[in-house]
Amino acid sequence: MQNYDLGNRIYELRKANGLSQKELGALIGVSNKAVSKWETGAAVPKTETIIKLASALGITAEELLCAKSPEVEKLDTLEALSNKTANIFLQNKLNTYETESKNAKYKKAKTYLICIICLFISFTAISMTLGYINNNIVIPQYSEQFPEIYAGYENDFTVKDNITLSMGMGYVICAIYTGITLFVNLIKKMPAWATAIACVLFPVTILFIELSGLVMVVPKTIMSIITIIQKGKDKNG
């Protein structure tokens, strides 16, 4: 399970300092999206960014990373640690957050790929089966009863056409799923008023889901594969 202690700490300190995500990002040279990812636990700041972030929030890097750690709560003060020990503890804590972030990305990528593969295979198979039934059973049957209507239909829909159309249907279903996942991730970062507008304008929202899915299904699939491969390299390394 992903650890959100650091994200909660950043959120609380940002609020205490009266800063918006955009304002905090501007102080340390990152986007408001980066700050949002830190606060939700989707990513962690790099080592050099931690120092800038802590300074902007008015505390030390050690206090930012370790304030809620059970190990540190056992100490009277952070100064009880030697500089060397504090630096080691700080680096270990940062490594822990980075590992958890990578694990979360890996799980998301793995889940996405499994869903995409299952959806594509399932709906392609269903479409091919329905196309076969329609082309080889339904049309021939009705062409005998209504020859003037179905004349020539037997040769209009080939096996190749059936396979192409079925794979296209599978791709569309995968695109819709991708669009939904993108929209869910987006809506988590949207303010309440923007979410309300998205709900009211649901036809536009549906169109966004469909179009974004069609555009992003291939890039997202590739990125998921890369994430899984990188995780495998990290384990072997």
Side-chain angles (χ1 to χ4, degrees):
M1 185 175 180
Q2 193 171 0
N3 192 326
Y4 290 92
D5 282 352
L6 178 60
N8 290 335
R9 181 65 173 161
I10 295 172
Y11 172 80
E12 292 169 359
L13 289 168
R14 177 176 64 79
K15 288 293 186 180
N17 283 274
L19 297 171
S20 66
Q21 291 181 341
K22 186 175 182 180
E23 289 170 339
L24 178 58
L27 287 174
I28 57 179
V30 299
S31 66
N32 61 313
K33 291 183 179 179
V35 177
S36 176
K37 287 182 178 180
W38 298 340
E39 293 182 354
T40 57
V44 294
K46 295 180 180 179
T47 304
E48 59 271 18
T49 307
I50 284 284
I51 298 173
K52 295 180 182 178
L53 179 60
S55 177
L57 295 173
I59 60 175
T60 65
E62 287 85 354
E63 289 171 329
L64 177 60
L65 286 176
C66 309
K68 294 188 177 182
S69 170
E71 297 94 329
V72 174
E73 289 176 357
K74 295 177 183 179
L75 302 173
D76 293 333
T77 62
L78 199 61
E79 286 73 22
L81 294 170
S82 67
N83 289 334
K84 183 177 179 180
T85 305
N87 289 334
I88 292 174
F89 187 82
L90 175 62
Q91 189 60 51
N92 288 340
K93 195 70 176 178
L94 183 59
N95 290 339
T96 299
Y97 283 122
E98 290 177 346
T99 300
E100 290 171 350
S101 179
K102 289 180 180 178
N103 289 338
K105 289 180 181 178
Y106 168 74
K107 290 178 181 178
K108 287 182 179 180
K110 186 177 179 180
T111 301
Y112 174 78
L113 276 183
I114 291 174
C115 291
I116 285 294
I117 292 172
C118 291
L119 286 172
F120 183 79
I121 293 176
S122 300
F123 279 88
T124 297
I126 292 171
S127 298
M128 288 180 66
T129 302
L130 293 176
Y132 176 85
I133 293 173
N134 182 69
N135 197 42
N136 294 276
I137 299 176
V138 177
I139 289 181
Q141 178 182 348
Y142 280 96
S143 64
E144 294 177 1
Q145 299 177 11
F146 308 100
E148 67 282 358
I149 298 176
Y150 288 91
Y153 272 42
E154 297 91 337
N155 300 322
D156 286 347
F157 199 61
T158 65
V159 175
K160 183 178 179 180
D161 293 334
N162 185 22
I163 294 175
T164 302
L165 180 60
S166 298
M167 292 182 70
M169 287 295 297
Y171 179 85
V172 170
I173 296 300
C174 290
I176 293 174
Y177 171 76
T178 301
I180 291 173
T181 59
L182 292 173
F183 181 72
V184 169
N185 290 333
L186 177 63
I187 206 169
K188 290 178 181 178
K189 304 172 185 177
M190 293 168 57
W193 61 267
T195 304
I197 291 176
C199 293
V200 173
L201 301 177
F202 67 92
V204 178
T205 302
I206 293 174
L207 181 62
F208 168 80
I209 290 174
E210 293 177 351
L211 292 179
S212 62
L214 288 170
V215 173
M216 290 301 298
V217 61
V218 173
K220 189 170 176 61
T221 300
I222 293 174
M223 287 187 291
S224 297
I225 293 173
I226 293 174
T227 299
I228 291 174
I229 292 175
Q230 187 62 48
K231 179 67 174 179
K233 289 182 178 179
D234 292 342
K235 285 184 177 180
N236 295 330

